[in-house]
Amino acid sequence: MRFIFAALFAASLYAADLTGRWVGPASTADNGQEFVLALRHGRDDMLTGFIIAPRGNEVVVGGKLVGSTVTLEADRPGRANSVQRVAYTGVLDGDKLKLALPVNGGRGGRGPGTTPPPDRPPQIIELTHVSFETPEPPPSRPEPVSLPMPATVPSNGLAKTPPMGWNSWNKFRNQVSDKMIREIADAMVKSGMKAAGYVYVNIDDTWEGAHRDAQGNITTNNKFPDMKALADYVHSKGLKLGIYSSPGPKTCAGYEGSFQHEEQDAKTFADWGIDYLKYDWCSASRVYDNTQATMAGAYAKMGLGLLGSGRRIVYSLCQYGNLDVGDWGAKAGGNLWRTTGDISDRWQSMERIGFEQQLGREKYAGPGHWNDPDMLEIGNGGMTDDEYRAHMSLWSILAAPLLAGNDIRDMKPEVAAILMNKEVIAVDQDKLGKQGVRVVKNGDLEVWSKPLADGGLAVALFNRGTATANVTAKWADLGINGSRTVRDLWKHADLGKKTGEFTATVPTHGVVMVKIK
Ligand code: GLA
């Protein structure tokens, strides 16, 4: 009887008042970390409060309970001190609240610059009402920290040609694990990727433990039981191991970042045997002021940490190309820096990043310091083989890092042939280290060229249009003259001598790539 009364009482309370803390596991992407919703249910029926989630805290600025439907609007801190308004909807059932996470930028989901596929269902998490206490006001944002750049970070002497390897994020997001990295290392050797030049096996976000240890050391989560043993394994295959962190307190997927532990983490990475660090701005925008000096300072801090770590570690900056990174990325110790938001496995994304957002950046690239238009999507299934060939050709003309982002344990022969085209890779890895440029744009038809160490030119004829077309590269546009030999780098065929120009028939969203000597 007492129980029934209590249950009825509780049910009526839940129906009337959502005040208190609602707690549940965050999405599976967050490796068991908590999601806390703290609400005040005001007299005017308005819901306010805050959310503490792996990705960062949000302020609930308004919301309503109508019947059993809950709607919430929250301000989510974005990059560079911006704030994004996101919407949650939920269904109340007793002391449970089934909450659909906002589809724009889901937790542990895709990063900046991408829109989620329209058909992606919202992720639903189940929260339990654990207390009726009125929540404290949301933790206020701390005063932004300034961190001017110290002196120029000396060069680490690495990445004389653009780094080549594999990264877990594009295909696997939070599924990356010790087991997968070992299998990928095996596959790098077995597939021929290693022989083709791909050496770095890079773990992206979601390897980190929820907390540091008592000495403040960064820890791994249970997907990575022993990072040092994993590095030993990868090294035993003649490959190198990469890892990921953030200058902010949290990474983009809400895991532990290196804020105020930069030197300590660099030492930990070195002790583990790490060879490559991707350092992703993410929540740093919540603690640092939004100036170029401070961003450069934050990157230089880790740059110096890596240099002093006792191990030679390639340093990859990831801050989406903001605040003129080309002007200071190398001075902060960077071997490469992202120039844009996240790529996705669609022609439009690759096209925007590769053809439009790299223009004018060639002056910053050279041996030891490269523009990074993001990882490859080749083989992930969202583009045609012609589109992937265009992707590979453009990245090579751009002297971009070549970080495969597909499942190389299980590659179609067509995909393997694209990723391992040695003649195209040779263009990317050319010792001269010049980033190529667009020399002709004629509507959807473009000619790009890159000077090579042996005096030759790599030339790519692209067709961005929707029908097959003839594309012509005129010697005058390429700055050459006379009679030249032309070799097709995709057909692996000499096309003989051409005088004055070379014309090729190029499929829609495709490329013909040649070397002219
Ligand atoms: C950002 C980066 C991505 C990836 C994710 C991981 O979005 O730009 O490349 O590292 O974070 O959370």
PDB file of all heavy atoms in Angstrom, residues 39-60:
ATOM      1  N   LEU A  39      18.092  20.433 -14.147  1.00  0.00           N
ATOM      2  CA  LEU A  39      16.992  21.315 -14.556  1.00  0.00           C
ATOM      3  C   LEU A  39      16.352  22.035 -13.381  1.00  0.00           C
ATOM      4  O   LEU A  39      16.272  21.513 -12.272  1.00  0.00           O
ATOM      5  CB  LEU A  39      15.902  20.494 -15.258  1.00  0.00           C
ATOM      6  CG  LEU A  39      16.204  20.005 -16.676  1.00  0.00           C
ATOM      7  CD1 LEU A  39      15.010  19.224 -17.203  1.00  0.00           C
ATOM      8  CD2 LEU A  39      16.526  21.175 -17.609  1.00  0.00           C
ATOM      9  N   ARG A  40      15.886  23.232 -13.661  1.00  0.00           N
ATOM     10  CA  ARG A  40      14.973  23.944 -12.766  1.00  0.00           C
ATOM     11  C   ARG A  40      13.652  24.067 -13.515  1.00  0.00           C
ATOM     12  O   ARG A  40      13.634  24.483 -14.684  1.00  0.00           O
ATOM     13  CB  ARG A  40      15.507  25.354 -12.492  1.00  0.00           C
ATOM     14  CG  ARG A  40      15.935  25.561 -11.067  1.00  0.00           C
ATOM     15  CD  ARG A  40      16.811  26.789 -10.965  1.00  0.00           C
ATOM     16  NE  ARG A  40      18.095  26.510 -11.613  1.00  0.00           N
ATOM     17  CZ  ARG A  40      18.770  27.392 -12.339  1.00  0.00           C
ATOM     18  NH1 ARG A  40      18.297  28.596 -12.542  1.00  0.00           N
ATOM     19  NH2 ARG A  40      19.910  27.062 -12.891  1.00  0.00           N
ATOM     20  N   HIS A  41      12.570  23.679 -12.876  1.00  0.00           N
ATOM     21  CA  HIS A  41      11.258  23.787 -13.517  1.00  0.00           C
ATOM     22  C   HIS A  41      10.563  24.986 -12.879  1.00  0.00           C
ATOM     23  O   HIS A  41      10.037  24.896 -11.777  1.00  0.00           O
ATOM     24  CB  HIS A  41      10.470  22.493 -13.268  1.00  0.00           C
ATOM     25  CG  HIS A  41       9.402  22.270 -14.274  1.00  0.00           C
ATOM     26  ND1 HIS A  41       8.924  21.018 -14.576  1.00  0.00           N
ATOM     27  CD2 HIS A  41       8.708  23.132 -15.055  1.00  0.00           C
ATOM     28  CE1 HIS A  41       7.978  21.128 -15.510  1.00  0.00           C
ATOM     29  NE2 HIS A  41       7.840  22.397 -15.794  1.00  0.00           N
ATOM     30  N   GLY A  42      10.618  26.123 -13.533  1.00  0.00           N
ATOM     31  CA  GLY A  42      10.163  27.380 -12.926  1.00  0.00           C
ATOM     32  C   GLY A  42       8.655  27.447 -12.768  1.00  0.00           C
ATOM     33  O   GLY A  42       7.910  26.631 -13.323  1.00  0.00           O
ATOM     34  N   ARG A  43       8.183  28.418 -12.023  1.00  0.00           N
ATOM     35  CA  ARG A  43       6.744  28.602 -11.807  1.00  0.00           C
ATOM     36  C   ARG A  43       6.024  28.877 -13.119  1.00  0.00           C
ATOM     37  O   ARG A  43       4.873  28.525 -13.293  1.00  0.00           O
ATOM     38  CB  ARG A  43       6.518  29.795 -10.855  1.00  0.00           C
ATOM     39  CG  ARG A  43       7.015  29.539  -9.459  1.00  0.00           C
ATOM     40  CD  ARG A  43       5.983  29.977  -8.425  1.00  0.00           C
ATOM     41  NE  ARG A  43       6.390  29.485  -7.115  1.00  0.00           N
ATOM     42  CZ  ARG A  43       7.145  30.192  -6.264  1.00  0.00           C
ATOM     43  NH1 ARG A  43       7.485  31.424  -6.536  1.00  0.00           N
ATOM     44  NH2 ARG A  43       7.505  29.650  -5.114  1.00  0.00           N
ATOM     45  N   ASP A  44       6.739  29.561 -14.016  1.00  0.00           N
ATOM     46  CA  ASP A  44       6.145  29.867 -15.328  1.00  0.00           C
ATOM     47  C   ASP A  44       6.183  28.653 -16.242  1.00  0.00           C
ATOM     48  O   ASP A  44       5.934  28.773 -17.441  1.00  0.00           O
ATOM     49  CB  ASP A  44       6.925  31.010 -15.972  1.00  0.00           C
ATOM     50  CG  ASP A  44       8.430  30.733 -15.965  1.00  0.00           C
ATOM     51  OD1 ASP A  44       8.852  29.648 -15.471  1.00  0.00           O
ATOM     52  OD2 ASP A  44       9.193  31.571 -16.461  1.00  0.00           O
ATOM     53  N   ASP A  45       6.532  27.472 -15.665  1.00  0.00           N
ATOM     54  CA  ASP A  45       6.619  26.227 -16.441  1.00  0.00           C
ATOM     55  C   ASP A  45       7.843  26.156 -17.338  1.00  0.00           C
ATOM     56  O   ASP A  45       8.013  25.194 -18.081  1.00  0.00           O
ATOM     57  CB  ASP A  45       5.360  26.020 -17.309  1.00  0.00           C
ATOM     58  CG  ASP A  45       4.526  24.899 -16.736  1.00  0.00           C
ATOM     59  OD1 ASP A  45       4.924  24.381 -15.673  1.00  0.00           O
ATOM     60  OD2 ASP A  45       3.496  24.552 -17.333  1.00  0.00           O
ATOM     61  N   MET A  46       8.696  27.178 -17.295  1.00  0.00           N
ATOM     62  CA  MET A  46       9.910  27.179 -18.127  1.00  0.00           C
ATOM     63  C   MET A  46      10.962  26.263 -17.515  1.00  0.00           C
ATOM     64  O   MET A  46      11.118  26.213 -16.294  1.00  0.00           O
ATOM     65  CB  MET A  46      10.502  28.597 -18.189  1.00  0.00           C
ATOM     66  CG  MET A  46       9.930  29.438 -19.293  1.00  0.00           C
ATOM     67  SD  MET A  46      10.553  28.937 -20.900  1.00  0.00           S
ATOM     68  CE  MET A  46      12.092  29.838 -20.945  1.00  0.00           C
ATOM     69  N   LEU A  47      11.682  25.547 -18.385  1.00  0.00           N
ATOM     70  CA  LEU A  47      12.800  24.710 -17.934  1.00  0.00           C
ATOM     71  C   LEU A  47      14.111  25.436 -18.235  1.00  0.00           C
ATOM     72  O   LEU A  47      14.316  25.899 -19.362  1.00  0.00           O
ATOM     73  CB  LEU A  47      12.788  23.377 -18.690  1.00  0.00           C
ATOM     74  CG  LEU A  47      11.566  22.492 -18.444  1.00  0.00           C
ATOM     75  CD1 LEU A  47      11.518  21.375 -19.485  1.00  0.00           C
ATOM     76  CD2 LEU A  47      11.595  21.912 -17.038  1.00  0.00           C
ATOM     77  N   THR A  48      14.958  25.546 -17.233  1.00  0.00           N
ATOM     78  CA  THR A  48      16.300  26.095 -17.454  1.00  0.00           C
ATOM     79  C   THR A  48      17.282  25.223 -16.688  1.00  0.00           C
ATOM     80  O   THR A  48      16.878  24.393 -15.884  1.00  0.00           O
ATOM     81  CB  THR A  48      16.425  27.542 -16.936  1.00  0.00           C
ATOM     82  OG1 THR A  48      15.971  27.567 -15.585  1.00  0.00           O
ATOM     83  CG2 THR A  48      15.638  28.521 -17.774  1.00  0.00           C
ATOM     84  N   GLY A  49      18.564  25.424 -16.926  1.00  0.00           N
ATOM     85  CA  GLY A  49      19.550  24.622 -16.204  1.00  0.00           C
ATOM     86  C   GLY A  49      20.804  24.456 -17.021  1.00  0.00           C
ATOM     87  O   GLY A  49      21.214  25.378 -17.730  1.00  0.00           O
ATOM     88  N   PHE A  50      21.386  23.282 -16.938  1.00  0.00           N
ATOM     89  CA  PHE A  50      22.595  23.059 -17.722  1.00  0.00           C
ATOM     90  C   PHE A  50      22.805  21.576 -17.987  1.00  0.00           C
ATOM     91  O   PHE A  50      22.150  20.714 -17.380  1.00  0.00           O
ATOM     92  CB  PHE A  50      23.819  23.691 -17.054  1.00  0.00           C
ATOM     93  CG  PHE A  50      24.083  23.221 -15.655  1.00  0.00           C
ATOM     94  CD1 PHE A  50      24.948  22.170 -15.405  1.00  0.00           C
ATOM     95  CD2 PHE A  50      23.450  23.841 -14.576  1.00  0.00           C
ATOM     96  CE1 PHE A  50      25.199  21.748 -14.110  1.00  0.00           C
ATOM     97  CE2 PHE A  50      23.698  23.426 -13.279  1.00  0.00           C
ATOM     98  CZ  PHE A  50      24.569  22.369 -13.039  1.00  0.00           C
ATOM     99  N   ILE A  51      23.714  21.330 -18.895  1.00  0.00           N
ATOM    100  CA  ILE A  51      24.050  19.958 -19.292  1.00  0.00           C
ATOM    101  C   ILE A  51      25.553  19.792 -19.108  1.00  0.00           C
ATOM    102  O   ILE A  51      26.322  20.664 -19.521  1.00  0.00           O
ATOM    103  CB  ILE A  51      23.664  19.721 -20.764  1.00  0.00           C
ATOM    104  CG1 ILE A  51      22.141  19.643 -20.903  1.00  0.00           C
ATOM    105  CG2 ILE A  51      24.336  18.466 -21.326  1.00  0.00           C
ATOM    106  CD1 ILE A  51      21.646  19.668 -22.339  1.00  0.00           C
ATOM    107  N   ILE A  52      25.941  18.708 -18.459  1.00  0.00           N
ATOM    108  CA  ILE A  52      27.369  18.387 -18.388  1.00  0.00           C
ATOM    109  C   ILE A  52      27.550  17.115 -19.211  1.00  0.00           C
ATOM    110  O   ILE A  52      26.966  16.081 -18.891  1.00  0.00           O
ATOM    111  CB  ILE A  52      27.834  18.137 -16.944  1.00  0.00           C
ATOM    112  CG1 ILE A  52      27.535  19.368 -16.076  1.00  0.00           C
ATOM    113  CG2 ILE A  52      29.324  17.799 -16.907  1.00  0.00           C
ATOM    114  CD1 ILE A  52      27.827  19.162 -14.604  1.00  0.00           C
ATOM    115  N   ALA A  53      28.279  17.234 -20.271  1.00  0.00           N
ATOM    116  CA  ALA A  53      28.432  16.097 -21.187  1.00  0.00           C
ATOM    117  C   ALA A  53      29.894  15.994 -21.585  1.00  0.00           C
ATOM    118  O   ALA A  53      30.636  16.953 -21.459  1.00  0.00           O
ATOM    119  CB  ALA A  53      27.552  16.327 -22.413  1.00  0.00           C
ATOM    120  N   PRO A  54      30.294  14.811 -22.054  1.00  0.00           N
ATOM    121  CA  PRO A  54      31.704  14.626 -22.405  1.00  0.00           C
ATOM    122  C   PRO A  54      32.230  15.710 -23.344  1.00  0.00           C
ATOM    123  O   PRO A  54      33.362  16.127 -23.244  1.00  0.00           O
ATOM    124  CB  PRO A  54      31.715  13.261 -23.093  1.00  0.00           C
ATOM    125  CG  PRO A  54      30.561  12.546 -22.496  1.00  0.00           C
ATOM    126  CD  PRO A  54      29.519  13.591 -22.210  1.00  0.00           C
ATOM    127  N   ARG A  55      31.379  16.177 -24.231  1.00  0.00           N
ATOM    128  CA  ARG A  55      31.870  17.130 -25.212  1.00  0.00           C
ATOM    129  C   ARG A  55      32.065  18.520 -24.615  1.00  0.00           C
ATOM    130  O   ARG A  55      32.717  19.377 -25.180  1.00  0.00           O
ATOM    131  CB  ARG A  55      30.876  17.187 -26.372  1.00  0.00           C
ATOM    132  CG  ARG A  55      31.466  17.835 -27.593  1.00  0.00           C
ATOM    133  CD  ARG A  55      30.442  17.900 -28.701  1.00  0.00           C
ATOM    134  NE  ARG A  55      31.022  18.590 -29.829  1.00  0.00           N
ATOM    135  CZ  ARG A  55      31.408  17.998 -30.946  1.00  0.00           C
ATOM    136  NH1 ARG A  55      31.246  16.717 -31.089  1.00  0.00           N
ATOM    137  NH2 ARG A  55      31.923  18.690 -31.917  1.00  0.00           N
ATOM    138  N   GLY A  56      31.430  18.779 -23.462  1.00  0.00           N
ATOM    139  CA  GLY A  56      31.523  20.102 -22.845  1.00  0.00           C
ATOM    140  C   GLY A  56      30.191  20.467 -22.212  1.00  0.00           C
ATOM    141  O   GLY A  56      29.189  19.777 -22.415  1.00  0.00           O
ATOM    142  N   ASN A  57      30.179  21.539 -21.450  1.00  0.00           N
ATOM    143  CA  ASN A  57      28.951  21.939 -20.771  1.00  0.00           C
ATOM    144  C   ASN A  57      28.099  22.817 -21.671  1.00  0.00           C
ATOM    145  O   ASN A  57      28.616  23.594 -22.462  1.00  0.00           O
ATOM    146  CB  ASN A  57      29.289  22.701 -19.496  1.00  0.00           C
ATOM    147  CG  ASN A  57      30.111  21.842 -18.557  1.00  0.00           C
ATOM    148  OD1 ASN A  57      30.231  20.639 -18.777  1.00  0.00           O
ATOM    149  ND2 ASN A  57      30.665  22.446 -17.535  1.00  0.00           N
ATOM    150  N   GLU A  58      26.800  22.690 -21.500  1.00  0.00           N
ATOM    151  CA  GLU A  58      25.868  23.536 -22.254  1.00  0.00           C
ATOM    152  C   GLU A  58      24.915  24.181 -21.269  1.00  0.00           C
ATOM    153  O   GLU A  58      24.618  23.619 -20.216  1.00  0.00           O
ATOM    154  CB  GLU A  58      25.076  22.680 -23.250  1.00  0.00           C
ATOM    155  CG  GLU A  58      25.959  22.080 -24.324  1.00  0.00           C
ATOM    156  CD  GLU A  58      25.239  21.037 -25.174  1.00  0.00           C
ATOM    157  OE1 GLU A  58      23.987  20.964 -25.127  1.00  0.00           O
ATOM    158  OE2 GLU A  58      25.940  20.293 -25.878  1.00  0.00           O
ATOM    159  N   VAL A  59      24.416  25.352 -21.630  1.00  0.00           N
ATOM    160  CA  VAL A  59      23.450  26.038 -20.786  1.00  0.00           C
ATOM    161  C   VAL A  59      22.063  25.828 -21.391  1.00  0.00           C
ATOM    162  O   VAL A  59      21.855  26.103 -22.574  1.00  0.00           O
ATOM    163  CB  VAL A  59      23.768  27.549 -20.734  1.00  0.00           C
ATOM    164  CG1 VAL A  59      22.747  28.273 -19.857  1.00  0.00           C
ATOM    165  CG2 VAL A  59      25.176  27.756 -20.201  1.00  0.00           C
ATOM    166  N   VAL A  60      21.139  25.306 -20.583  1.00  0.00           N
ATOM    167  CA  VAL A  60      19.759  25.137 -21.069  1.00  0.00           C
ATOM    168  C   VAL A  60      19.069  26.481 -20.889  1.00  0.00           C
ATOM    169  O   VAL A  60      18.844  26.943 -19.764  1.00  0.00           O
ATOM    170  CB  VAL A  60      19.031  24.030 -20.282  1.00  0.00           C
ATOM    171  CG1 VAL A  60      17.590  23.902 -20.767  1.00  0.00           C
ATOM    172  CG2 VAL A  60      19.767  22.704 -20.428  1.00  0.00           C
TER     173      VAL A  60
END
